[in-house]
């Protein structure tokens, strides 16, 4: 992460069924939807477009999922890398995966950067690790604690002084289902989460190896069924829980999340933003059981998860980038094409592994130690690299002598101007000092302790510091300590300091980013299955704009530009959807540029206070790195996020591309036999955009005969060739359904669940034919019955592409005349 081009605010999209598409310019089609917002009075200024330069592909490194799979010589044969858990400790990443059923021992890997992994061998060999499921490891006060469930039969806790060897069982079987996971809160409290039927369970922990009170995390549930693979992280005032459900060998295995701003035991689900990760196509499927870890740049976050290889038990290990936006959590993925590797910090040194002081300035002396570079008493070691503004830094000390006060230095410019965050073993406190123009203010905070135990200083303890504006936020072992304000300390070097005794140093790193913006300048992969881009993630090289609360990018004045580095997986036609907001009605015109060339534009009419999505179809993008830019030509608007996915032309239906349930096919129709039968059948491409689809449906009995549009990721509870269970998978899709029921015509939005968004009371009869037509144009959907417009709905966050098809819900029906064509 280098510079960060920061920004603010958003807009709203509104389309009409009377128009679809628009005039083309440079191979791009104008917006299908319209959005607008207030146009403030502007002062005259130069509005000549300025765009960042494209970085050649060969100038940056890429990686491609899967990172690890069955071809790795150390993978479990026929099993792969299931339930991957990654722990970060002292600047190094450690990977642990489930053990093949019937086999003994837990294998582990290490990596300096999340991408390049080295096999470390067996870290545990106890007989009780036979078929060890989902091992997770946590460091505390000099020891590593492992939690695993052998073949799903209860849990054991193992303990070691090393992350890669010597784990020994220290408990009896504690029971509690599978997939045990630990979270340590800011106050040092420990919580243990396990899988459960209907919800995740959570236990208060009385020690690293004993459990207390059990509770149910009621909102953490996958369709009210079996829910597993949970993990909790804390970021910027919110607790986020990821979890997984249905069956590990189903293509519809998926990752969801919940959020809380108050407690790691009470979460609310995010139905409008779930699933967090899913894909049921051949490219990548069976996504699930994830862990979340801080990236190498110390500011970004990554999700590590497994996926299936062709519905076989072999599982791969994949990683994709997470972005946080208030209570929203998003993943830039899933990806299966090359993407830019995670950024390393601007300052990067692991004194545990090397003793070179090149690039550092030492004032004082060095001592001697076996476990890292030892800084002598009353000494200072600072980096030659300096930070001019916001930054995130981490400091690891492998030991601090009892007589010392030692730890982190930040914003260091000279002995009269710097900050320090120091461990005091004698006091059991963290001492924070802000020295400005030779005047020092001091704040003492108790160290983060668990179970009433004292903090040990003969082992690794870490400090993290974030500067944002004039605020400095301090953490110990990633647990929040406090926030202090200093307007005087605005930049400088980072390093270590000792007073009165020695300290041994480990990893230290620093990045010119804070608040989760690390890697904002990296190229984001866009493809047929994914292309999410948070709007605030702009490239460097343009004047800095302000970032509004909620991380929305504001285009406030004519000529304002938002630019994004993207990496199309292949050259061709792409659709862009921009989630926007507006303040007041006004005219707004948005232009889209590709590598500085105008590729399309759209006129947007704002709706006060409402979010809406502007969709621009058929942008022509090259293969490989390019710059996508949004330029405000008129008005003002606020953009929260973009989605860019390759598009496909609407064509003849051809053969079904997905089916579950028992369909009878004749020359003129399809039918299902009931009345208890369910099933869905789909045609076309998941990358179809705007179209009209028509169908004649003749219910033989009711309750519901459905026309499906813009469907992606269909699924059902079947796995590994077993008989599908369409009853359980009625709503297992992303898209929209038009439902013809005995007393109501309904339009519903579905994302592995169902939400009615529009409806009208009316009667329908068995053995009577009805003609349904749906027009999907931008963010608006219109439903016609026998040629008459009955329902309209403008979706603030629409599904922008998808297949067409039919579904029956507990009924017999005949479907005929299914046809689809582009919007006229």
């Amino acid at each position: 992460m280098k510079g960060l081009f920061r920004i603010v605010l958003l807009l709203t999209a509104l389309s009409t069924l009377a128009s679809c598409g628009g005039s083309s310019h440079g191979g791009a089609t104008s917006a299908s939807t319209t959005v607008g917002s207030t146009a403030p009075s502007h002062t005259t200024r130069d509005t000549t477009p300025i765009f960042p330069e494209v970085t050649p592909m060969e100038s940056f490194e890429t990686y491609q999922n899967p990172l690890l799979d069955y071809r790795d010589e150390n993978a479990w044969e026929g099993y792969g890398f299931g339930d991957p858990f990654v722990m970060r400790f002292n600047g190094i990443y450690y990977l642990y995966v489930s053990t093949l059923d019937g086999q003994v021992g837990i294998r582990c890997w290490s990596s300096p950067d999340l991408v390049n992994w080295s096999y470390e061998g067996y870290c545990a060999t106890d007989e009780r690790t036979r078929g060890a499921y989902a091992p997770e490891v946590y460091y505390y006060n000099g020891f590593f604690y492992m939690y695993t469930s052998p073949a799903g039969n209860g849990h054991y806790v193992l303990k070691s002084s090393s992350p890669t060897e010597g784990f020994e069982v220290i408990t009896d079987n504690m029971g509690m289902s599978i997939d045990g996971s630990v979270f340590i809160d800011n106050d040092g409290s420990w919580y243990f989460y396990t899988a459960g039927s209907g919800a995740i369970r959570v236990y208060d922990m009385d020690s690293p190896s004993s459990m207390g009170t059990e509770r149910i995390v009621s909102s953490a549930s996958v369709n009210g069924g079996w829910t597993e693979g949970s993990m909790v992280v804390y970021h910027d005032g919110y607790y986020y829980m990821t979890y997984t459900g249905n069956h590990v060998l189903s293509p519809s295995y998926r990752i969801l999340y919940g959020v809380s701003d108050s407690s790691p035991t009470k979460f609310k689900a995010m139905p409008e933003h779930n699933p967090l990760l899913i894909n049921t196509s051949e490219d990548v499927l069976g996504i699930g059981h994830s862990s979340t870890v801080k990236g190498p740049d110390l500011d970004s976050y990554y999700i590590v998860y497994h996926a299936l290889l062709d519905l076989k038990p072999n599982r791969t290990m994949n990683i994709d980038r997470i972005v946080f936006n208030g209570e929203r959590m998003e993943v830039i993925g899933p990806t299966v094409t090359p993407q830019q590797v995670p950024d390393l910090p601007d300052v990067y040194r692991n004194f545990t592994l090397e003793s070179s002081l090149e690039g550092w300035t030492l004032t004082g002396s060095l001592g001697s130690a076996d476990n890292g570079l030892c800084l002598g008493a009353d000494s200072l070691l600072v980096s030659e690299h300096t930070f001019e503004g916001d930054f995130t830094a981490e400091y690891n000390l492998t030991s601090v002598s009892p007589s010392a006060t030692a730890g982190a230095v930040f914003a260091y410019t000279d002995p009269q101007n710097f900050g320090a965050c120091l461990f005091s073993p004698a006091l059991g406190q963290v001492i924070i000092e802000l020295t400005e123009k030779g005047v020092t203010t001091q704040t003492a905070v108790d160290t983060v302790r668990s179970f009433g135990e004292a903090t040990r200083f003969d082992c690794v303890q870490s400090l993290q510091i974030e500067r944002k504006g004039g605020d400095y936020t301090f953490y110990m072992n990633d647990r929040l300590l406090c926030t202090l304000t200093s307007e005087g300390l605005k930049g400088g070097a980072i390093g270590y300091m000792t007073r009165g005794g020695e300290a041994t140093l480990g990893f230290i790193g620093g990045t010119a980013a804070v608040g989760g913006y690390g890697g904002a300048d990296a190229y984001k992969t866009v493809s047929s299955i994914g292309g999410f881009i948070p709007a605030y993630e702009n490239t460097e090289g343009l004047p800095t704009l302000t970032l509004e609360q909620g991380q929305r990018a504001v285009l406030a004045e004519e000529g304002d530009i938002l630019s994004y580095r993207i990496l199309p997986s292949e050259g061709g036609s792409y659709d862009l959807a921009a989630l926007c907001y507006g303040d007041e009605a006004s005219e707004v015109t948005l232009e889209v540029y590709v590598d500085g060339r105008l590729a399309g534009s759209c006129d947007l009419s704002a709706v006060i206070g409402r979010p809406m999505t502007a969709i621009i179809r058929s942008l022509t993008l090259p293969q490989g790195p390019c710059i996508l830019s949004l330029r405000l030509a008129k008005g003002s608007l606020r953009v929260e996020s973009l989605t860019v996915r390759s598009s496909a032309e609407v064509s003849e239906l051809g053969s079904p591309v997905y089916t579950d349930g028992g369909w009878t096919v004749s020359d003129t129709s399809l039918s299902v036999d009931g009345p208890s039968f369910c099933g869905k059948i789909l045609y076309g491409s998941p990358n179809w955009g705007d179209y009209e689809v028509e169908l004649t449906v003749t219910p033989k009995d009711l309750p519901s005969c459905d026309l499906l549009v813009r469907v992606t990721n269909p699924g059902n509870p079947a796995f590994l060739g077993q008989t599908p269970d369409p009853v359980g998978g009625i709503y297992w899709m992303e898209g929209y359904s038009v439902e013809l029921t005995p007393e109501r015509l309904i339009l519903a939005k579905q994302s592995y669940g169902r939400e009615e968004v529009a409806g009208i009371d009316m009667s329908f009869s068995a053995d009577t034919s009805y003609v349904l037509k749906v027009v999907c144009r931008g963010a608006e959907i219109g439903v016609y019955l026998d040629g008459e417009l009955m329902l309209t709905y403008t979706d603030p966050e629409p599904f922008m592409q998808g297949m067409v098809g039919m579904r029956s819900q507990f009924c017999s029906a005949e479907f005929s005349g299914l046809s689809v064509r582009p919007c006229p």
Side-chain angles (χ1 to χ4, degrees):
M1 225 303 294
K2 300 296 184 269
L4 177 64
F5 178 49
R6 307 172 71 188
I7 40 185
V8 186
L9 218 17
L10 308 207
L11 85 124
T12 33
L14 189 63
S15 66
T16 67
L17 288 171
S19 63
C20 181
S23 60
S24 295
H25 185 100
T29 304
S30 62
S32 306
T33 57
T34 56
V35 184
S37 62
T38 303
S41 59
H42 295 161
T43 56
T44 302
R45 62 179 182 139
D46 183 7
T47 58
T48 303
I50 303 173
F51 303 100
E53 294 183 359
V54 178
T55 306
M57 188 83 168
E58 59 270 15
S59 68
F60 59 86
E61 293 184 78
T62 63
Y63 76 94
Q64 185 170 351
N65 285 322
L67 283 175
L68 296 170
D69 64 25
Y70 69 97
R71 290 167 292 193
D72 188 289
E73 64 178 348
N74 298 303
W76 289 108
E77 185 176 357
Y79 200 67
F81 291 82
D83 311 320
F85 175 80
V86 172
M87 174 193 68
R88 184 176 173 277
F89 172 75
N90 199 19
I92 303 295
Y93 295 94
Y94 298 92
L95 166 68
Y96 309 86
V97 300
S98 286
T99 300
L100 176 65
D101 287 337
Q103 299 298 307
V104 173
I106 297 172
R107 298 174 179 179
C108 65
W109 290 255
S110 67
S111 171
D113 55 14
L114 272 181
V115 172
N116 299 289
W117 292 92
S118 299
Y119 181 56
E120 296 286 351
Y122 285 88
C123 60
T125 56
D126 190 285
E127 173 64 26
R128 284 164 288 188
T129 62
R130 183 179 298 275
Y133 286 0
E136 295 193 4
V137 176
Y138 297 85
Y139 174 79
Y140 166 66
N141 243 7
F143 295 100
F144 298 88
Y145 295 89
M146 176 183 289
Y147 304 83
T148 187
S149 178
N153 297 313
H155 281 88
Y156 290 95
V157 181
L158 295 82
K159 182 179 179 181
S160 175
S161 58
S162 165
T164 59
E165 61 184 2
F167 279 93
E168 297 182 354
V169 176
I170 61 171
T171 67
D172 294 329
N173 192 322
M174 299 187 297
M176 300 179 300
S177 187
I178 62 171
D179 293 353
S181 182
V182 169
F183 173 71
I184 307 172
D185 204 357
N186 291 319
D187 63 359
S189 300
W190 286 45
Y191 301 90
F192 190 70
Y193 304 84
T194 67
S197 179
I200 295 293
R201 267 67 175 172
V202 59
Y203 300 80
D204 298 323
M205 297 182 69
D206 299 324
S207 76
S209 57
S210 59
M211 309 300 157
T213 305
E214 175 191 4
R215 283 167 282 180
I216 295 176
V217 185
S218 58
S219 64
S221 173
V222 179
N223 296 122
W226 181 258
T227 306
E228 61 190 20
S230 63
M231 184 177 182
V232 174
V233 295
Y234 177 85
H235 175 75
D236 200 21
Y238 291 93
Y239 302 90
Y240 302 89
M241 173 184 279
T242 52
Y243 49 95
T244 297
N246 92 60
H247 194 285
V248 67
L249 296 182
S250 166
S252 300
Y253 203 51
R254 55 200 183 274
I255 300 171
L256 298 90
Y257 82 103
V259 65
S260 172
D261 61 1
S262 60
S263 169
T265 64
K266 297 178 181 179
F267 291 85
K268 72 172 182 177
M270 301 293 287
E272 66 273 31
H273 304 136
N274 275 319
L276 180 66
L277 267 180
I278 185 172
N279 195 77
T280 64
S281 73
E282 294 180 357
D283 293 324
V284 56
L285 46 80
I287 292 171
H289 201 118
S290 67
S291 58
T292 300
V293 66
K294 186 185 295 184
D297 67 354
L298 311 177
D299 183 64
S300 58
Y301 284 80
Y302 286 82
I303 189 167
V304 184
Y305 58 93
H306 76 231
L308 296 178
L309 290 174
D310 301 323
L311 293 184
K312 296 177 181 178
N314 267 318
R315 287 169 285 180
T316 67
M317 190 195 84
N318 300 18
I319 71 167
D320 282 308
R321 188 159 174 254
I322 294 174
V323 292
F324 300 101
N325 189 347
E327 67 177 11
R328 293 185 63 162
M329 181 182 193
E330 302 278 4
V331 174
I332 302 178
T335 64
V336 293
T337 56
Q339 57 183 317
Q340 194 168 344
V341 300
D343 286 332
L344 292 176
D346 300 300
V347 175
Y348 181 90
R349 184 62 57 88
N350 197 324
F351 290 116
T352 308
L353 305 176
E354 60 176 306
S355 57
S356 170
L357 295 183
E358 182 180 355
W360 295 78
T361 299
L362 172 66
T363 302
S365 62
L366 296 177
S368 61
D370 296 330
N371 59 340
L373 184 74
C374 184
L375 187 62
D378 303 312
S379 297
L380 175 70
L381 180 67
V382 295
S383 66
E384 294 177 2
H385 180 96
T386 60
F387 296 97
E388 296 180 359
D390 294 348
F391 67 87
T392 299
E394 178 176 301
Y395 313 74
N396 289 263
L397 293 98
T398 60
S399 66
V400 178
S401 65
S403 61
T405 301
V409 171
F410 59 94
Y412 183 90
T413 56
D414 57 57
Q416 304 299 309
N417 296 276
F418 68 94
C421 182
L422 311 172
F423 286 124
S424 172
L427 299 176
Q429 291 182 325
V430 176
I431 309 298
I432 302 171
E433 296 180 354
L434 304 178
T435 301
E436 301 177 26
K437 298 180 179 180
V439 178
T440 300
T441 59
Q442 188 179 92
T443 302
V445 184
D446 289 338
T447 58
V448 178
R449 304 179 184 183
S450 298
F451 317 114
E453 299 175 357
T455 302
R456 290 178 52 192
F457 290 99
D458 59 347
C459 60
V460 174
Q461 304 289 353
S462 68
L463 294 165
Q464 294 82 27
I465 302 172
E466 298 175 350
R467 180 188 188 273
K468 188 174 184 180
D471 292 335
Y472 287 87
T473 302
F474 302 90
Y475 302 82
M476 174 183 169
N477 299 329
D478 289 312
R479 318 298 167 212
L480 178 64
L481 291 173
C482 67
T483 298
L484 301 175
T485 299
S486 172
E487 296 296 339
L489 298 179
K490 297 182 178 180
I494 64 173
Y496 289 102
M497 171 185 286
T498 60
R499 293 175 184 159
E502 297 181 339
T504 308
L505 314 181
F507 168 80
I508 182 173
T511 297
V514 68
Y517 303 119
D521 296 332
Y523 282 91
K524 309 299 188 299
T525 299
V526 297
S527 66
S528 61
I529 63 174
F532 175 83
I533 305 170
Y536 60 84
E537 295 226 338
N538 278 54
T539 60
E540 62 184 24
L542 294 172
T544 299
L545 298 182
T546 309
L547 189 66
E548 187 190 59
Q549 183 180 7
Q551 299 182 352
R552 297 169 183 165
V554 168
L555 294 171
E557 299 186 49
E558 181 179 333
D560 282 351
I561 297 173
L562 309 177
S563 291
Y564 306 92
R565 289 189 170 99
I566 63 172
L567 194 62
S569 60
E570 56 186 359
S573 180
Y574 285 75
D575 292 340
L576 180 149
L579 176 60
C580 306
Y581 292 77
D583 290 328
E584 299 176 9
S586 69
E587 294 184 1
V588 177
T589 301
L590 186 66
E591 297 174 339
V592 180
Y593 290 77
V594 176
D595 290 341
R597 295 184 297 274
L598 183 63
S601 65
C602 57
D603 295 325
L604 309 170
S605 304
V607 179
I608 297 175
R610 286 177 54 193
M612 192 58 64
T613 299
I615 297 178
I616 302 176
R617 301 289 186 191
S618 304
L619 290 171
T620 299
L621 300 179
Q623 183 177 18
C626 63
I627 304 296
L628 178 72
S629 302
L630 306 182
R631 179 180 182 272
L632 184 67
K634 183 188 297 184
S636 67
L637 58 87
R638 305 168 181 178
V639 185
E640 181 165 301
S641 62
L642 309 177
T643 301
V644 183
R645 295 180 61 179
S646 60
S647 60
E649 292 185 2
V650 176
S651 59
E652 294 184 2
L653 293 175
S655 300
V657 294
Y658 173 87
T659 183
D660 60 49
W663 294 84
T664 301
V665 182
S666 70
D667 293 337
T668 59
S669 66
L670 298 112
S671 61
V672 290
D673 297 321
S676 62
F677 200 81
C678 300
K680 51 187 179 287
I681 187 167
L682 298 169
Y683 297 82
S685 167
N687 297 105
W688 280 358
D690 293 341
Y691 50 71
E692 296 182 358
V693 59
E694 192 168 297
L695 171 69
T696 298
V697 57
T698 307
K700 301 301 181 181
D701 50 61
L702 296 165
S704 187
C705 307
D706 308 333
L707 173 59
L708 307 177
V709 296
R710 285 204 182 152
V711 175
T712 57
N713 294 317
N716 64 71
F719 59 95
L720 285 182
Q722 294 189 6
T723 302
D725 175 21
V727 174
I730 290 174
Y731 306 135
W732 284 24
M733 52 174 262
E734 295 180 304
Y736 304 94
S737 59
V738 176
E739 302 169 4
L740 192 151
T741 71
E743 298 178 344
R744 193 165 173 80
L745 180 66
I746 296 170
L747 175 63
K749 184 178 182 180
Q750 301 190 173
S751 182
Y752 279 68
R754 177 183 176 277
E755 176 190 8
E756 181 177 330
V757 295
I760 185 172
D761 294 335
M762 55 193 315
S763 297
F764 297 97
S765 303
D767 298 315
T768 301
S769 296
Y770 302 93
V771 178
L772 291 174
K773 184 176 79 169
V774 178
V775 179
C776 299
R777 182 181 285 111
E780 189 167 273
I781 296 176
V783 178
Y784 295 77
L785 177 67
D786 294 333
E788 182 180 356
L789 179 63
M790 306 299 294
L791 302 172
T792 62
Y793 175 65
T794 302
D795 193 343
E797 298 188 48
F799 295 112
M800 62 188 293
Q801 298 175 332
M803 298 173 281
V804 302
M806 297 151 284
R807 181 179 65 189
S808 65
Q809 296 189 53
F810 305 102
C811 70
S812 298
E814 182 177 285
F815 300 86
S816 61
L818 179 67
S819 64
V820 63
R821 61 173 182 165
C823 290

